Amino acid sequence: MILTLVAAAAVWALVAGVCLFVGSTGNNWPTDEQLAYRLERVLTASLIGAALAASGVVYQAILRNPLADPYLLGVSSGSALFAYIWRQPMAAAMLAAVGLAQTAVSQQVFAFAGALAAVTIVFVLSMRRGRLEPLTLLLVGVIVNVIAGALFLLINILARDTTTQMTFLVGSIQDVSDRQLWTVAVLVAIGWVLLMLMSAPLNVALLSEGEAASLGVRIHRLRWAALVTASLITASAVAISGPIGFVGLICPHLSRLIVGNDQRRLLPVATAAGAALLALADGIARMLAQGRFAATVLPVGILTALMGGPFFLLLLYQSRKRREL
């Protein structure tokens, strides 16, 4: 276990170190000012990627669905919508009415509420005779994504906000305050430790409910605890980035090719893979801004969608072929 953690952290550190030499104006040894800017972006991207990948591992385990992902289930979109509502004057008025202010903590509370609202809708509408229908789950998740996106655009238009529409709707690495970043880091760290403590029982969640019960695991309690914790760290990350898609889908599958399906090893490896993937995507976005391809740094959500979309279609095709056999 310790060796796995060290190796995963070393791979992430290598990718993060390389990204420090990539800038939007050129690839060079960074000056002190450039180093501070790039380091903040790399660490922010790594934190968000780690949270999304860890959540993806847990969603796939508790739902026993290899296509489960915070983005596809609508959790990311619900979090992003409520985090965007938090930025509006009406949210400030609501908080002031109960004696609160717009702080980093209240932002996380809004985002978490959005995540729970989305996942509750998805679960309730996907249940049939007490069991989750995998295809219905994904369909409802897509619909929740569409509705959340439409509500986001509606609020954006009514508020006449021209600054956050593209970056926050697609998902990007944004400039946030130190307080916001530290709040996210603390919540993600706490949630990740809790998920690691649940990693051994999560292996049992992959079995049928009868087999889990025979092993003495309260499977329903475990699933809800893991679901709430995964939604918490997803909401924490999405609150400052917007809904970055497919990181939670790609990284768990790639990590399984390396360490198998043991959740105790899969969770830390996928977490490091998510951190490295999003840091790399941010580095590529800055590199593309150097030439004529892009006039500015692209939101990383565009790049992860270009990678994850075909990956998802491939998984869906393989899943269909297996059912036909």
Side-chain angles (χ1 to χ4, degrees), residues 1-13 46 49-58 191-200 202-203 233 251-256 258-277:
M1 177 66 71
I2 295 178
L3 183 60
T4 301
L5 286 171
V6 172
V11 172
W12 164 78
S46 299
L52 296 177
S55 299
V57 170
V58 174
W192 190 83
V193 170
L194 291 176
L195 291 179
M196 281 299 298
L197 294 175
M198 289 186 271
S199 59
L202 281 174
N203 283 324
I233 65 175
C251 296
H253 282 280
L254 295 181
S255 300
R256 282 191 191 93
I258 302 172
V259 297
N261 212 26
D262 186 347
Q263 304 298 303
R264 294 169 297 180
R265 294 164 61 87
L266 179 61
L267 183 59
V269 171
T271 300
L277 176 64

Side-chain angles (χ1 to χ4, degrees), residues 83 86 95 100-112 176-187 232 235-237 239-240:
W86 172 86
L95 291 169
L100 299 175
Q102 281 181 312
T103 64
V105 175
S106 65
Q107 180 189 34
Q108 297 300 320
V109 172
F110 266 65
F112 185 48
V176 296
S177 67
D178 292 340
R179 180 174 295 181
Q180 286 176 305
L181 192 57
W182 276 108
T183 301
V184 174
V186 170
L187 290 175
L232 171 64
S236 299
I240 62 172

Side-chain angles (χ1 to χ4, degrees), residues 9-248:
V11 172
W12 164 78
L14 178 62
V15 173
V18 171
C19 291
L20 292 177
F21 295 91
V22 179
S24 57
T25 57
N27 303 328
N28 58 344
W29 187 275
T31 63
D32 291 343
E33 184 178 353
Q34 288 175 331
L35 179 61
Y37 172 75
R38 294 175 188 176
L39 183 61
E40 182 178 355
R41 286 191 67 96
V42 168
L43 291 179
T44 303
S46 299
L47 177 63
I48 295 167
L52 296 177
S55 299
V57 170
V58 174
Y59 285 132
Q60 290 171 17
I62 62 178
L63 299 177
R64 286 182 290 179
N65 188 338
L67 301 178
D69 163 77
Y71 182 77
L72 295 173
L73 292 178
V75 180
S76 294
S77 297
S79 300
L81 175 62
F82 275 59
Y84 185 63
I85 292 174
W86 172 86
R87 301 183 179 193
Q88 306 305 313
M90 62 178 178
M94 291 169 54
L95 291 169
V98 294
L100 299 175
Q102 281 181 312
T103 64
V105 175
S106 65
Q107 180 189 34
Q108 297 300 320
V109 172
F110 266 65
F112 185 48
L116 288 185
V119 79
T120 300
I121 293 172
V122 171
F123 267 55
V124 169
L125 296 181
S126 303
M127 295 287 286
R128 183 179 182 184
R129 297 177 182 175
R131 302 188 65 180
L132 287 171
E133 294 286 340
L135 291 180
T136 305
L137 189 78
L138 293 175
L139 178 60
V140 176
V142 170
I143 294 173
V144 169
N145 266 323
V146 172
I147 294 174
L151 289 174
F152 179 98
L153 290 174
L154 176 62
I155 296 171
N156 184 271
I157 292 171
L158 293 177
R160 299 182 180 180
D161 183 359
T162 60
T163 60
T164 62
Q165 179 172 334
M166 176 57 71
T167 56
F168 202 73
L169 184 60
V170 177
S172 65
I173 307 303
Q174 305 180 49
D175 293 330
V176 296
S177 67
D178 292 340
R179 180 174 295 181
Q180 286 176 305
L181 192 57
W182 276 108
T183 301
V184 174
V186 170
L187 290 175
V188 170
I190 293 173
W192 190 83
V193 170
L194 291 176
L195 291 179
M196 281 299 298
L197 294 175
M198 289 186 271
S199 59
L202 281 174
N203 283 324
V204 182
L206 298 172
L207 306 174
S208 66
E209 294 187 6
E211 291 173 312
S214 66
L215 294 173
V217 176
R218 297 180 177 179
I219 190 66
H220 294 292
R221 179 181 298 181
L222 172 64
R223 283 175 176 166
W224 277 109
L227 176 69
V228 170
T229 306
S231 298
L232 171 64
I233 65 175
T234 297
S236 299
V238 170
I240 62 172
S241 68
I244 298 174
F246 297 107
V247 176

